[in-house]
Amino acid sequence: MALMGQDEAVSTARHLLELRKGEQARLDRIQRYMCGKHDSVYVPQGARAEYRWLIERARVNVLPLVVKVVAQNMYVDGYRPAGSDENAAPWKVWQANRMDARQHGIHRSVLTYGAAYAVVMPGKPVPVITPFSPRRMTALYGDPVNDEWPIFAVEDHVENTRGGKRRVVRVYDDQARYTLAGKVDGAQLAPDGEQWLMRHNMGVCPVVRYINLEDLDGDGVIGEVEPLIEIQDQLNMTTFGLLMAQQYAAFRQRWVTGMAPPLDQQGNPIEPFRSRVDGLFVAEDADTKFGEFGATDLKGYLDSRESTVRNIATISQVPPYHLLGQMVNLSAEALAAARDGLDRNVDEHESLCGEGHEQTLRLAGLAADDKAAWEDTAAQVVWRDTSARSLAQTVDALGKLVTMLGVPPQELWERVPGVTQTDVERWKKAASEGDALNRLNGIIEKQMQLPSDTAMPVEPTAPAA
């Protein structure tokens, strides 16, 4: 594809931004719900301030927890070529770009919105990897199902400058990045100075798309949050009913008949009695009667709310004890069974996001002019084991693999929970130094065990001239 001129770049940017509008409303709604800004329950006309006050507090936002539980089980710990236990060269680019931490933003965006993006551009001393939410970037594919690389990608965000804020739009293709700028509230875009065109000459659009669900129909991707929005509204409605019952009917209201209420100095009726623990209601008229209304039972509201939370747990495959906080005397086997759905869900997301990370790391190799890394399609990312097993269980299982199946111990170190790739490399270095020292000690011991009259072999020397 040839380089675009200024007019063509502006026209392409406008076309891509127009295509973005269709998905932005949906993404903004998801973002609102993640932040707890949910749609309100029904409010009748003339509702009092107290009624509206309860509505504002009738939100139990479980959606962030659904994302957090899965995201906290996903962590890339290495990038290995096939048949090697050492990280490939692009892993240095990954760490230089702080992707050890920034990968969590990609995973959370994928789980929340259904997609995320990463841009890889040449840079010094290493290529630059920049993650993006779909609220800030959109990629256009010829075939959105089967194409590995997009035709175009557009980035749209607001940038702070000394003179205030401005809108920045960047368009990416297989040859360059085109930067345009304009007013935040305006539609006019123009090339951003002399550096508006940055050539990368990579031959592919340097944008990687991460997806939450492999959709062979091409109908778009969906995250973990959107299917739960209606159930979240149900949970809020039940919580509102609970708060209303607590406010107006959860306590016993007393009544009295046959007695005129006393009046204040202005002639207005006032409350005749003050309810207290050691108080007693007394009336002079024998026809006066006292009674009370029964309190509303809140158990139905609480059970209904718990049932809704369990529905959310079922649909999202998040164990109910994460959402309900109920976990009493669970054995290791019961805990593993409760986590089974979550583990399968995490495995699927690791498979999908893993392909995206591998594509990003290959692209980093291309941006660094490392053709071997770019052409290595067999290298794979290594995910940290976060399954719910005790350290004793894991070590016992790994020990049996060593003793019963003859697996080398060093090959199993990275499977120990909580152990990072840095720990494994340090252990291997210490083990190799220990092996060298043991060999040296063995040689010394053999020499010391030789009989004293045994002459050590002496190499012949050349005769003197």
Side-chain angles (χ1 to χ4, degrees):
M1 183 183 298
L3 288 173
M4 291 190 292
Q6 294 186 2
D7 293 341
E8 186 180 1
V10 172
S11 175
T12 302
R14 289 175 177 171
H15 175 67
L16 294 173
L17 292 174
E18 190 67 27
L19 293 177
R20 273 175 54 83
K21 290 183 179 179
E23 68 175 2
Q24 290 308 300
R26 180 181 68 89
L27 298 178
D28 289 343
R29 180 173 183 241
I30 295 172
Q31 193 270 342
R32 280 197 304 106
Y33 267 78
M34 285 293 289
C35 294
K37 300 175 182 178
H38 304 163
D39 293 342
S40 173
V41 300
Y42 171 72
V43 181
Q45 291 184 354
R48 295 185 300 174
E50 187 177 10
Y51 190 100
R52 299 181 182 276
W53 184 87
L54 290 174
I55 290 176
E56 292 299 319
R57 284 149 185 81
R59 298 188 180 100
V60 182
N61 193 11
V62 300
L63 299 180
L65 186 58
V66 171
V67 172
K68 183 186 297 184
V69 169
V70 180
Q72 289 178 342
N73 283 272
M74 300 173 64
Y75 186 83
V76 175
D77 218 7
Y79 179 61
R80 313 283 174 74
S84 174
D85 59 354
E86 300 293 335
N87 285 321
W91 185 249
K92 295 181 180 179
V93 179
W94 175 278
Q95 293 189 310
N97 281 274
R98 300 177 288 115
M99 291 300 294
D100 283 344
R102 299 170 78 193
Q103 63 174 296
H104 296 297
I106 293 177
H107 300 157
R108 289 176 182 267
S109 177
V110 168
L111 293 165
T112 302
Y113 303 111
Y117 297 92
V119 177
V120 183
M121 292 290 288
K124 296 294 183 182
V126 296
V128 179
I129 303 175
T130 309
F132 286 99
S133 158
R135 298 180 69 225
R136 293 184 58 180
M137 173 168 279
T138 300
L140 176 65
Y141 290 80
D143 183 347
V145 176
N146 297 310
D147 285 357
E148 184 178 10
W149 306 103
I151 303 173
F152 293 106
V154 60
E155 169 195 346
D156 184 13
H157 70 279
V158 175
E159 185 178 87
N160 293 316
T161 65
R162 291 184 178 180
K165 295 184 177 182
R166 65 172 189 163
R167 183 185 187 186
V168 177
V169 176
R170 293 189 176 98
V171 177
Y172 300 82
D173 64 13
D174 59 356
Q175 295 297 322
R177 180 184 71 189
Y178 311 86
T179 302
L180 312 172
K183 294 182 179 180
V184 174
D185 55 352
Q188 296 297 324
L189 295 173
D192 186 22
E194 297 181 356
Q195 304 297 324
W196 75 282
L197 172 63
M198 177 182 176
R199 300 189 61 164
H200 56 74
N201 298 323
M202 296 170 67
V204 296
C205 184
V207 176
V208 177
R209 180 181 61 174
Y210 295 78
I211 57 175
N212 180 67
L213 179 67
E214 186 67 36
D215 176 27
L216 297 181
D217 293 323
D219 296 331
V221 293
I222 189 171
E224 300 295 302
V225 174
E226 192 171 7
L228 302 175
I229 287 180
E230 300 299 330
I231 306 180
Q232 175 68 64
D233 287 340
Q234 294 178 24
L235 179 61
N236 292 343
M237 187 64 193
T238 303
T239 302
F240 174 71
L242 174 63
L243 293 180
M244 289 287 287
Q246 288 181 179
Q247 181 74 4
Y248 297 109
F251 56 91
R252 295 181 178 180
Q253 295 182 346
R254 296 176 175 85
W255 54 265
V256 59
T257 62
M259 183 180 70
L263 304 177
D264 60 11
Q265 295 179 355
Q266 287 75 31
N268 299 318
I270 59 176
E271 185 179 358
F273 302 105
R274 285 287 183 181
S275 178
R276 62 183 189 272
V277 174
D278 57 349
L280 182 67
F281 294 174
V282 179
E284 296 179 357
D285 193 337
D287 294 331
T288 301
K289 295 182 180 180
F290 295 93
E292 65 178 11
F293 298 108
T296 298
D297 186 5
L298 301 181
K299 187 176 184 302
Y301 291 101
L302 296 174
D303 290 345
S304 176
R305 189 164 68 167
E306 181 175 329
S307 176
T308 303
V309 173
R310 290 188 181 277
N311 288 339
I312 294 176
T314 301
I315 295 173
S316 64
Q317 290 185 291
V318 172
Y321 60 80
H322 279 289
L323 302 177
L324 296 171
Q326 298 176 353
M327 186 172 63
V328 181
N329 296 330
L330 287 181
S331 64
E333 292 77 11
L335 182 61
R339 276 184 57 99
D340 182 68
L342 174 62
D343 289 339
R344 303 290 78 75
N345 192 17
V346 171
D347 289 343
E348 181 180 6
H349 283 95
E350 287 181 347
S351 175
L352 293 169
C353 289
E355 287 297 323
H357 289 317
E358 291 162 12
Q359 194 175 347
T360 298
L361 288 162
R362 286 182 55 226
L363 196 58
L366 178 62
D369 201 23
D370 185 349
K371 295 299 180 62
W374 164 247
E375 295 173 355
D376 186 4
T377 58
Q380 292 184 325
V381 294
V382 179
W383 294 92
R384 181 176 295 178
D385 184 8
T386 59
S387 55
R389 295 191 300 268
S390 67
L391 181 61
Q393 277 184 309
T394 303
V395 172
D396 180 65
L398 297 179
K400 290 179 178 179
L401 287 175
V402 174
T403 57
M404 300 176 65
L405 300 180
V407 179
Q410 292 86 343
E411 300 299 322
L412 301 175
W413 287 347
E414 63 185 20
R415 296 182 179 271
V416 178
V419 173
T420 65
Q421 182 60 25
T422 303
D423 295 331
V424 173
E425 292 174 357
R426 188 176 67 252
W427 291 355
K428 289 183 178 180
K429 181 179 179 181
S432 62
E433 292 175 352
D435 291 341
L437 182 60
N438 291 335
R439 289 194 296 270
L440 178 59
N441 290 335
I443 294 173
I444 294 174
E445 290 177 0
K446 288 181 180 179
Q447 294 296 335
M448 294 179 64
Q449 292 173 1
L450 291 175
S452 58
D453 57 348
T454 302
M456 294 294 292
V458 179
E459 295 183 2
T461 56

